[in-house]
Amino acid sequence: MENIISVLSDSVANQIAAGEVVQRPASVIKELLENAIDAKATKIKVILKDAGKTLIQVIDNGIGMSPVDARMAFERHATSKIKIANDLFDLHTKGFRGEALASICSIAYVELKTKREKDELGQYIIIEGNRLIKQESCQTGTGSSFTIKNLFYNTPARRHFLKNDNIELKHILDEIERVAIPHYNIEFIVFHNDHELMNLPSATLIERLMRLLSSHYKDKLVAINENIEVVNFHGYVGKPEVALKSKRNQFFFVNNRYIKSPYLNHAIHEAYKGLISDDKHVNYFLFLDVNPKFIDVNIHPSKTEIKFQDEKVIYALLLSTVKRAIGKAEMGIQIDFEPETAFNVHYNKPVKKPQLDYNPSYNPFQTDVTFEKTSIKQNNLKNWETLYEKYNEDSIHNAALTNQTLEVETDESLQTQLNIETEVSSLFQLQLKYIVTPFQNGLYVIDQQRAHEQILFEYYFSSKQPQNTIASQKSLFPTVIELSVSDYELVQSLLHHFLVLGFELEPFGKNTFSLQGTPANLSSVNFNSIIDTLIENYKLNSFDSQFDPFENICKSLAKSTCIGYGKKLTHEEMSLLVNQLFMCQTQLFNPTGKPIIMELSTNTIDKFFKK
């Protein structure tokens, strides 16, 4: 029988390895930055073109390489980080497997210029598809400069799966943040298409966080600093009031290496239990210093997963450390660290004997029982008249609900289809969340937040038509909005969409916009908060790269500006909300597909009481 097993060639093996190590341009950035840090660089410069697809250049002032080392660095499994297998369990460097450069060379054109401080001349190397094209002496500064051109040039299928430049650039900026935060003593400069995106001088940890995020976070973070025999914790956790709907700004670093750990993230979530709702997530930037012998970082090619020798101990210590920090900061309730006041009995006050109310005439075996009427107060029921109290506070701020009519063509059959026979006096609000209205065959229960969200979405989305563009009102005192680097780039790419919706945003310094004009139908709102929430919702909706950006913005803006639960509505507001909902093209579901209306038919009610 003919033999069918053969050894793969180096080029094929390297391309397979590249599939594990290099998934996108951000993967290349990560590997090159880690090499620069291992080379003891104090300044790193990153230059990008077309989100890294055309060019990635990483320049550092590290120790550089000798002529032999410069060539050997591109060989597979060639590394200076480990010598024997036991070194894998005592790692103090970022890279160690020696696969990164060999993998990158197999799918790109690579140039290297490097020089040690003691050498007069450096080395210039060109490699294409793992083939050495040139190696010669050259004039260059101390350190290394890696240039990666035309990533995935020889694997077009892989290049085809890359997303658009905005998405790929966001991944790159995320990777740079994950390296720049723990190495705040290193200066980072990032350029994209000849435009400076980042300029991070050497700083303290809190200064680095403020530059990457925005300065308004400074008073929203609580310091963590706990030294325990097993592990040392330091860093910052966010206050409950700045919790977000997404898991943005959540960073774990073990020995200054970024990791992902759902298990440890659960410990953080447990520490905030009772302080934030279950659908929100807190910011944290936490560093764990652990003896390298007690962890294994070699369980995943990307090195973002890690295995602890005793994960349960780390979990318990982290939970208690975060709780202690929150308690010391005196945010909200005192968690577990104050004396239990329930046992503080005041003996100078008379102790009342507990009373038990019961009906002495009740006989469970008697068929004809007459019960005494129970007062409404005894049952702690709300008087129905309170549902119709006059609401004296400010009305709903959004003009789309109060003084503007949606310009949507209504279907005459809609009223018949829904069998709406509503009178203003028959509307009432239930638990400040739902609007209940009768119809011919039962009741409709309408979610007020989702209904308003759908109304606003269709109103905003209709502004795409030139005749429906939303007017902008010039601000007497423009609002300055400071964003993180990635958020700034996102808003920059969407400025023309914001303008259609009435937001006049102009660049105003580093990662900052000046809000010169606002939608005429929005007033007396915190636009810093609106923009921040809008960006957050936009990211949550951006699962599909083919998603229409304008539709996404409209959904995000509708969610950011709609009335929320707990808002008491007047009869007129409820009536207007219901009428405008039934004028929408879609009445049953909100923009994210969640139901708006629940129908409770008379038949359903009859069946229940016939049981």
Side-chain angles (χ1 to χ4, degrees), residues 45-102:
K45 186 176 183 180
V46 179
I47 300 172
L48 305 164
K49 286 192 182 298
D50 303 326
K53 298 172 186 176
T54 303
L55 173 71
I56 297 173
Q57 188 173 10
V58 176
I59 306 167
D60 69 67
N61 65 345
I63 59 176
M65 290 180 276
S66 68
V68 175
D69 285 346
R71 176 66 190 93
M72 286 295 295
F74 295 99
E75 295 295 325
R76 196 175 180 202
H77 300 312
T79 178
S80 62
K81 316 298 172 59
I82 63 174
K83 300 296 182 184
I84 59 177
N86 285 339
D87 290 344
L88 288 171
F89 302 99
D90 193 22
L91 288 170
H92 298 274
T93 57
K94 303 293 180 185
F96 53 88
R97 288 197 294 261
E99 290 181 307
L101 292 180

Side-chain angles (χ1 to χ4, degrees), residues 77-147:
H77 300 312
T79 178
S80 62
K81 316 298 172 59
I82 63 174
K83 300 296 182 184
I84 59 177
N86 285 339
D87 290 344
L88 288 171
F89 302 99
D90 193 22
L91 288 170
H92 298 274
T93 57
K94 303 293 180 185
F96 53 88
R97 288 197 294 261
E99 290 181 307
L101 292 180
S103 299
I104 294 169
C105 287
S106 67
I107 52 174
Y109 299 102
V110 179
E111 296 180 10
L112 167 63
K113 289 184 179 181
T114 184
K115 185 181 84 71
R116 296 179 298 180
E117 187 175 8
K118 65 180 181 180
D119 296 333
E120 292 185 5
L121 294 174
Q123 289 294 302
Y124 178 46
I125 294 177
I126 300 177
I127 295 181
E128 296 179 4
N130 277 129
R131 291 184 299 109
L132 178 64
I133 304 300
K134 180 191 291 187
Q135 179 172 4
E136 61 184 21
S137 299
C138 71
Q139 287 284 351
T140 187
T142 301
S144 298
S145 171
F146 284 92
T147 303

Side-chain angles (χ1 to χ4, degrees), residues 225-509:
N225 195 356
E226 200 77 42
N227 296 325
I228 308 171
E229 184 178 354
V230 180
V231 58
N232 295 333
F233 298 105
H234 69 278
Y236 296 91
V237 294
K239 293 183 178 180
E241 59 262 32
V242 290
L244 304 170
K245 286 289 183 78
S246 71
K247 295 182 179 181
R248 184 173 57 139
N249 297 335
Q250 293 190 336
F251 295 87
F252 277 122
F253 302 96
V254 174
N255 298 346
N256 282 346
R257 182 193 300 275
Y258 171 78
I259 68 160
K260 297 177 182 177
S261 177
Y263 186 65
L264 294 183
N265 180 72
H266 185 269
I268 301 287
H269 196 72
E270 283 295 303
Y272 282 82
K273 204 164 189 178
L275 294 177
I276 61 173
S277 58
D278 290 338
D279 63 336
K280 287 196 173 183
H281 308 275
V282 294
N283 305 316
Y284 57 78
F285 309 87
L286 285 176
F287 295 77
L288 287 71
D289 297 326
V290 187
N291 189 325
K293 295 180 181 179
F294 301 144
I295 58 175
D296 184 3
V297 299
N298 195 29
I299 62 173
H300 193 275
S302 67
K303 301 190 288 278
T304 55
E305 296 179 17
I306 200 167
K307 185 175 179 59
F308 293 93
Q309 194 174 68
D310 197 336
E311 219 169 23
K312 291 182 179 179
V313 171
I314 301 293
Y315 179 99
L317 292 173
L318 178 62
L319 174 61
S320 112
T321 297
V322 173
K323 272 193 172 186
R324 188 186 304 275
I326 298 171
K328 286 181 179 179
E330 296 182 350
M331 295 183 300
I333 58 172
Q334 299 296 322
I335 308 173
D336 292 348
F337 303 106
E338 295 296 323
E340 177 55 64
T341 58
F343 297 100
N344 296 339
V345 181
H346 299 279
Y347 293 102
N348 59 337
K349 294 182 180 180
V351 179
K352 293 183 179 180
K353 183 180 179 180
Q355 298 293 325
L356 179 64
D357 294 330
Y358 65 98
N359 186 351
S361 63
Y362 173 67
N363 184 349
F365 302 101
Q366 184 177 344
T367 56
D368 186 15
V369 181
T370 56
F371 296 97
E372 295 182 3
K373 291 184 179 180
T374 310
S375 69
I376 291 177
K377 289 183 179 179
Q378 274 184 308
N379 286 311
N380 197 25
L381 297 175
K382 290 183 178 180
N383 192 323
W384 283 96
E385 293 179 0
T386 61
L387 293 168
Y388 296 94
E389 287 177 337
K390 180 66 179 173
Y391 183 52
N392 294 321
E393 296 180 12
D394 292 338
S395 185
I396 301 171
H397 70 262
N398 200 296
L401 182 58
T402 56
N403 60 9
Q404 291 195 15
T405 304
L406 287 173
E407 297 183 6
V408 180
E409 294 184 4
T410 58
D411 186 353
E412 294 182 359
S413 65
L414 177 63
Q415 205 77 357
T416 305
Q417 176 187 348
L418 294 173
N419 296 319
I420 300 295
E421 292 182 359
T422 305
E423 297 179 2
V424 173
S425 61
S426 63
L427 289 167
F428 67 88
Q429 197 177 14
L430 180 63
Q431 295 182 343
L432 301 183
K433 291 176 67 177
Y434 308 106
I435 298 172
V436 181
T437 176
F439 72 105
Q440 187 175 5
N441 297 318
L443 292 172
Y444 281 135
V445 182
I446 299 172
D447 186 302
Q448 67 183 42
Q449 178 171 306
R450 294 177 185 176
H452 194 206
E453 186 181 349
Q454 179 62 25
I455 293 167
L456 292 178
F457 168 71
E458 294 199 6
Y459 169 70
Y460 292 136
F461 194 69
S462 68
S463 67
K464 196 172 186 178
Q465 305 300 323
Q467 67 272 19
N468 295 331
T469 301
I470 297 174
S472 180
Q473 181 177 335
K474 285 288 185 180
S475 302
L476 185 60
F477 300 102
T479 303
V480 176
I481 298 173
E482 186 180 358
L483 302 171
S484 68
V485 178
S486 58
D487 287 350
Y488 178 87
E489 289 302 313
L490 174 62
V491 173
Q492 182 80 28
S493 67
L494 300 171
L495 282 180
H496 58 293
H497 294 314
F498 279 105
L499 187 59
V500 172
L501 293 166
F503 292 94
E504 294 184 15
L505 289 161
E506 294 181 2
F508 188 73

